[in-house]
Amino acid sequence: VIKCKAAVAWEAGKPLSIEEVEVAPPKAHEVRIKIVATAVCHTDAYTLSGADPEGCFPVILGHEGAGIVESVGEGVTKVKKGDTVIPLYIPQCGECKFCKNPKTNLCQKIRITQGKGVMPDGTSRFTCKGKPIYHFMGTSTFSEYTVVADISVAKIDAAAPLDKVCLLGCGISTGYGAAVNTAKVEPGSTCAVFGLGGVGLAVIMGCKIAGASRIIGIDIKKEKYAKAKEFGATECISPLDSKKPIQEVLVEMTDGGVDYSFECIGNVGVMRAALEACHKGWGVSVIVGVAAAGQEISTRPFQLVTGRTWKGTAFGGWKSVDNVPKLVTEYMSKKIKVDEFVTHTLPFDKINEAFELMHSGK
């Protein structure tokens, strides 16, 4: 058993608490990882807020991490002690019908136990003050050591800087893949990206790499526009600057609508606007943001009858074990940006400050 520091969420709506936890050794087909760096994501905040129907407490959150394999359980063959890895919240077992289907990346092998906050055998590897602590998204990267299923880990280039590539565990991969895998953005196309946080910037990067000629960033926070343009946005607009609905503004700006739109916020009203900003006959709108539990989307069916397509994406459609190492290689060869997404680097015990920076849009 390893004793280490972790940020424990004891209950919904309260700040995380840095505690000493015990991390049990990995069982069969499990891997124990020394986490070197972790990022914070809105999904962590969503669960912490109490709005997540799958949220269990007490829990160790975190799903954008990178580290070194400390030990492996019986039967683990894909990684060994000392390997550099990224934990994966969407695993890839290679055996279930989802993994065998090229149309999806949603491996279901451990979905049920992962959603309940436990390892595949139904138990936790974390304890604190004598109480078992739940796992989160199969990763729990807000701990100096974590245990994951062996299908939930990608071995990456040992030379990669872990304080940067941890972001490929969720946000950057999700946005980039939404553009290149889910939408399949084409050269010369016009795109609109709603929400210019980390995921939105990654979508812009993907649209640019795919050869889009016009990329319109949409956000009410104008201080985000300069960064969006660095990533490839050709122009930025605010919904607050017009009395007309934003979709009407976009349709006028683009002679009938955009070819591709992306909702990167998790707001069902914005999801509708993103669809309705698409061009009649061929426009495709991709939902990337996660809305709160119980919310529903709506539009007039005529929008779809007249040739628009509404899609969603999870982890950018990447089959995780196969593609995360390739994304790291693309970063190392400077094909994709990663360093530019990092705004602040804080010591682990200031993790609550990181959440405050995220909520303030900084």
Side-chain angles (χ1 to χ4, degrees):
V1 175
I2 289 177
K3 288 187 176 179
C4 68
K5 279 196 302 189
V8 177
W10 288 107
E11 57 184 297
K14 296 280 170 72
L16 303 179
S17 175
I18 302 292
E19 305 279 4
E20 183 180 81
V21 297
E22 290 90 45
V23 185
K27 294 188 184 178
H29 294 287
E30 295 177 2
V31 179
R32 187 160 61 181
I33 302 168
K34 178 182 174 39
I35 296 288
V36 175
T38 186
V40 297
C41 170
H42 266 285
T43 310
D44 303 306
Y46 168 63
T47 299
L48 186 58
S49 75
D52 182 354
E54 276 196 344
C56 315
F57 295 89
V59 64
I60 294 171
L61 299 169
H63 63 284
E64 290 185 337
I68 312 292
V69 174
E70 178 273 334
S71 58
V72 299
E74 192 186 329
V76 175
T77 55
K78 299 264 170 66
V79 294
K80 62 185 188 305
K81 182 177 177 173
D83 282 349
T84 305
V85 294
I86 289 177
L88 307 168
Y89 72 90
I90 293 182
Q92 186 186 349
C93 71
E95 294 163 1
C96 71
K97 70 179 179 181
F98 289 79
C99 281
K100 286 179 173 169
N101 190 323
K103 294 177 181 175
T104 184
N105 62 331
L106 296 174
C107 173
Q108 296 295 294
K109 180 88 177 255
I110 59 172
R111 181 70 198 89
I112 291 169
T113 49
Q114 181 173 315
K116 289 178 178 167
V118 290
M119 295 298 288
D121 72 346
T123 63
S124 169
R125 301 290 161 270
F126 298 118
T127 46
C128 181
K129 300 178 179 171
K131 290 181 185 157
I133 307 291
Y134 286 111
H135 294 248
F136 178 67
M137 290 176 77
T139 52
S140 289
T141 59
F142 292 172
S143 174
E144 291 177 324
Y145 287 85
T146 190
V147 179
V148 304
D150 63 353
I151 59 172
S152 302
V153 64
K155 181 182 172 183
I156 62 162
D157 183 342
L162 300 186
D163 61 331
K164 306 294 193 294
V165 296
C166 61
L167 289 166
L168 292 169
C170 177
I172 297 178
S173 306
T174 297
Y176 176 43
V180 300
N181 298 331
T182 310
K184 296 185 168 60
V185 169
E186 293 165 323
S189 56
T190 297
C191 302
V193 181
F194 291 77
L196 301 177
V199 174
L201 294 176
V203 171
I204 289 171
M205 176 175 78
C207 292
K208 185 181 180 186
I209 289 169
S213 60
R214 193 172 179 193
I215 303 168
I216 304 164
I218 300 131
D219 202 297
I220 55 176
K221 289 188 172 153
K222 294 191 176 179
E223 61 270 22
K224 296 191 168 193
Y225 294 175
K227 192 70 142 172
K229 286 176 180 169
E230 273 174 48
F231 277 84
T234 54
E235 62 220 277
C236 294
I237 58 172
S238 168
L240 304 180
D241 285 351
S242 171
K243 292 198 169 73
K244 290 180 184 169
I246 188 69
Q247 52 267 54
E248 286 182 27
V249 174
L250 285 159
V251 166
E252 283 175 16
M253 282 173 66
T254 57
D255 183 28
V258 299
D259 302 309
Y260 302 97
S261 70
F262 302 85
E263 198 280 354
C264 307
I265 302 162
N267 178 313
V268 292
V270 178
M271 291 173 191
R272 177 172 189 160
L275 175 79
E276 295 177 358
C278 283
H279 201 287
K280 182 189 286 189
W282 63 76
V284 174
S285 187
V286 181
I287 294 172
V288 192
V290 177
Q295 295 198 321
E296 297 183 353
I297 48 172
S298 63
T299 189
R300 295 188 356 256
F302 193 69
Q303 293 285 336
L304 302 176
V305 171
T306 49
R308 296 170 191 82
T309 304
W310 220 347
K311 303 178 86 166
T313 189
F315 195 53
W318 302 107
K319 288 198 183 266
S320 57
V321 173
D322 292 345
N323 286 294
V324 167
K326 292 177 186 170
L327 290 166
V328 171
T329 302
E330 284 192 5
Y331 157 65
M332 299 291 276
S333 62
K334 299 200 160 44
K335 184 188 169 188
I336 61 172
K337 297 181 193 289
V338 173
D339 296 10
E340 294 83 352
F341 285 89
V342 179
T343 56
H344 298 75
T345 303
L346 300 167
F348 184 39
D349 55 13
K350 296 217 169 138
I351 191 162
N352 288 310
E353 282 181 36
F355 275 87
E356 286 163 25
L357 286 163
M358 180 174 64
H359 286 306
S360 66
K362 293 177 182 167

